[in-house]
Amino acid sequence: MTAPRLLDVAAAAGVSRATASRVLAGTPRNVDPDLARRVEEAARRLGYRTNHSARALRTGTTGTVGVVVPSLANPYFVQLADAIAQQVRAAGGQLVVSDAANSPAIEAEQIDTLLSGRVDGLLVVPVSAAASGPAVRAAAGCAPVVLFDRWAHDSGTVAVTLDNAAAMRLLLDHLDGLGRRRIALVAADQASSSGAERLAAFTAARGADAVTVLLPSFTTDAGRTAGRRIAERRAEVDAVVCGADVLAVGLVSTLQRSAVSVPGEIAVTGFDDTEMLELLDPPITSIRHPLADMAEHALALLQGPPADRAESVERFPPQLVVRASTDADVSP
Amino acid sequence: MTAPRLLDVAAAAGVSRATASRVLAGTPRNVDPDLARRVEEAARRLGYRTNHSARALRTGTTGTVGVVVPSLANPYFVQLADAIAQQVRAAGGQLVVSDAANSPAIEAEQIDTLLSGRVDGLLVVPVSAAASGPAVRAAAGCAPVVLFDRWAHDSGTVAVTLDNAAAMRLLLDHLDGLGRRRIALVAADQASSSGAERLAAFTAARGADAVTVLLPSFTTDAGRTAGRRIAERRAEVDAVVCGADVLAVGLVSTLQRSAVSVPGEIAVTGFDDTEMLELLDPPITSIRHPLADMAEHALALLQGPPADRAESVERFPPQLVVRASTDADVSP
DNA sequence: GAGCTTCGGGAAATCGATTTCCCACACTCT
DNA sequence: AGAGTGTGGGAAATCGATTTCCCGAAGCTC
């Protein structure tokens, strides 16, 4: 029992392949409704599935988009990939997700693999603002590429990101409003545009002599290191803004172990609003990205004219989500 | 500037398409080494990438496998998908991951989408032992399908799973060895084979009158509900085995909020050994799945002869990972 | 009713790589 | 030297759906 082909459906319905294709692919619907019904009926009866390889070969499009994220170990990127997947599926496509293991070299490899004729377009969350550019630029020469959540220098394409400066202002204003004055920053991964922008915005607002802890990577373990440093300087600090949720998680757990009360003594905020935050004790205040909107827009850019993908950065508005780690009165 | 085709490479190297294909696809290497070098050189110079749609159409294989997991909101399934992805990539293929949103109906849909000529084979972590069977059986009629981590009734195919009964014994023996006698179980999702097997193994070992909390789903929130129930009955319990890590996370956080010390008053174990466990306070004892081995074996079954995929369940040995949630002496 | 426009639908070319034949050439053996 | 053997490589068929032409029929106008 070999799989039925379009030819078989056409024969069963008593029409030509051309007509069957027009009906099933939904191209210019100038087909007699009666014939159309016969074709659809035949297709159903035979259990016909269109062969996507053949379609892709003929049309030159695969209906698949790829996304390369820095690391799936960070739940924020899982959430991000999921938001993109939903938009892609809603449009009848498929998403392929690749993990760059936080390395620009592996990232370049993954981009290359995905580009080998398997995807119509590519969304990339670049690992590094400086080092990811060349690979992205090369890819953008072959297929539509849009950067997502972060940008890279000299990438040759558009980036759909969060307005990190506005987000930082939201957090600082919020803490200010609660009477916190000695605000520290825990920043990570200065190589990424988001890490760098968040640090820059903080410094712009609070001056260069505010307490700042710089860490190499966005991981919970880095957050614990930060927790130890902050605990040592607890006298100078009454609030900590973390550049990522995973940092905040590690930080809070370490602070609590050092008998620093959160938010009593030190208020803490995250960044990215991953789902795990609500489940901690206390739940952590964070910044929510409008991921669905961003994904929708990025996909539109992928499919739109190349002119819309000129190198530039588009920034979406962040949203502050207040939880008990800054304001104990908020119900958990 | 249109993308170079095999024809262009062949012309540039002064050979026929056939020879160029033999060289680049690596089929029967009866090609003069000198010609081969010329072809490879030409391909590199022109920046040739083989068109996977065309190859797939001709060979009938896509080099892609799909995996359907119950929910990517559960970090265990992210880890599982990642383990499979690594094996697939090592073999030069691609992985497409789909999320069934914990619903057999959506699961059936995702299976159907993936099967439409886009994947060579399918790995499924079935949502439900009872309800997932029919869709899997239908899929197994069209393409190689292997169940992973869980099995389903009447699926018509082989399942590569963990030996849940052995895992439960490891946990109970460990707790026993620590002098814990009043052991409770927090079990979830009896509809899944893993949920059901873990409950059955616990009941077999401890008898039906041991304290047992049954929950609908594997989520952290369910874990908090369990935490409240256990806290109410704290006098009857000195250890809790959770059927999944996400449950343990919610449980521990709720117990601590109720001033129950872990492991002082109640020891807690998880199940699945997701990475987040090390980061909690205390880190949680759990069961590690040999995911890499399981993935390798499952992929071998996918590619092997259909006879090897007769309906059956293969069980891999679990490994106990002891952390401070059961044994305070273990360094965190 | 002749001529013109529409419109539905069929025949066949097309997408690009793979693979089956099969030929030509070189080399070995008697 | 002639026949036999093996091997590298080219011409062309093939995978299955889409899409461009193009033709015939039906509807319309005057």
Side-chain angles (χ1 to χ4, degrees), chain B residues 265-321:
Chain B
E265 182 175 344
I266 297 185
V268 175
T269 81
F271 214 116
D272 296 337
D273 194 43
T274 43
E275 282 159 17
M276 60 175 173
L277 293 188
E278 304 200 22
L279 308 166
L280 299 175
D281 185 18
I284 300 178
T285 293
S286 193
I287 289 291
R288 179 171 299 167
H289 301 35
L291 283 179
D293 293 348
M294 289 168 62
E296 191 181 351
H297 184 62
L299 291 172
L301 285 175
L302 265 193
Q303 280 147 15
D308 291 352
R309 293 194 296 274
E311 183 159 350
S312 60
V313 178
E314 305 190 4
R315 298 173 197 282
F316 276 65
Q319 185 187 341
L320 178 69
V321 179

Side-chain angles (χ1 to χ4, degrees), chain A residues 15 17 21 46 52 78 80 100 138 147 149 159 167 212 233 237 243 264 278 303 321-322 324-325:
Chain A
V15 302
R17 305 209 301 287
S21 170
L46 271 60
H52 282 78
V78 175
L80 178 154
L147 299 183
D149 187 63
T212 304
R233 308 176 66 172
V237 172
E278 303 199 23
Q303 280 146 16
V321 180
V322 176
S325 71

